[in-house]
Amino acid sequence: MPGPAPQDHPYPDSLVPGEGPEPHPQLEPVLPLLGRWRGRGRGEYPTLEQDFRYEQEITFSHDGRPFLRYESRAWLIDGSGTPLRPSGRESGWWRVMPDATLEVVLSHPTGIVETYAGRVSGPEIELTTDHVARTPQAKKVTGMRRRYTLRDGELQIAQDMAAMGQPLQHHLGARLRRYPA
């Protein structure tokens, strides 16, 4: 006997508190992240010829267990905001521990998998890579640090990177606002 149709999952993800499954109590410190966020950012790095602008959409959801599903898509834009081409993409899981520490696993289609350890401290989240694994042809990324700050209805993101022989330094910064689910 076949299972439910793909759109009729018996345990759907929830993007909005109060809709779908009850969030696990351990998710309390990260519940404000639930939903879809969209905005713009700028990127730079010493190994790049020039800085770039991008638009990004991030989705956080849960299925009632003590972790968030995370997905991010970005695309390069020109100075007027016109999309130029797809850019970064990643997906993974944010596992929230009872003491508000986080363990995060993110994978990229470019052959990179990152594991992070971090902490939620009020409206701020800081994550630092514990391990970076790469496929043989992937860019030589050796470390990352991410900071997420919720302030005045905005999700601010700063990302530092150590890659291609460069030390850990600023790479990306974006400001996103909640977007309709």
Side-chain angles (χ1 to χ4, degrees), residues 92-124:
W93 305 97
W94 289 37
R95 189 163 68 154
V96 184
M97 309 315 278
D99 63 355
T101 57
L102 295 171
E103 295 179 347
V104 175
V105 177
L106 298 179
S107 63
H108 305 257
T110 56
I112 298 170
V113 175
E114 303 157 344
T115 62
Y116 289 84
R119 172 168 284 290
V120 181
S121 181
E124 297 182 8

Side-chain angles (χ1 to χ4, degrees), residues 15-16 20-21 38 41 44-45 51 55 62 71 83 85-86 110 129 133 141 158 167 171 180:
L15 295 171
V16 181
R38 196 170 196 178
E44 62 185 345
Y45 206 67
D51 298 355
E55 192 161 333
H62 76 92
E71 183 174 2
R85 66 177 174 83
T110 56
T129 48
V141 174
H171 176 45

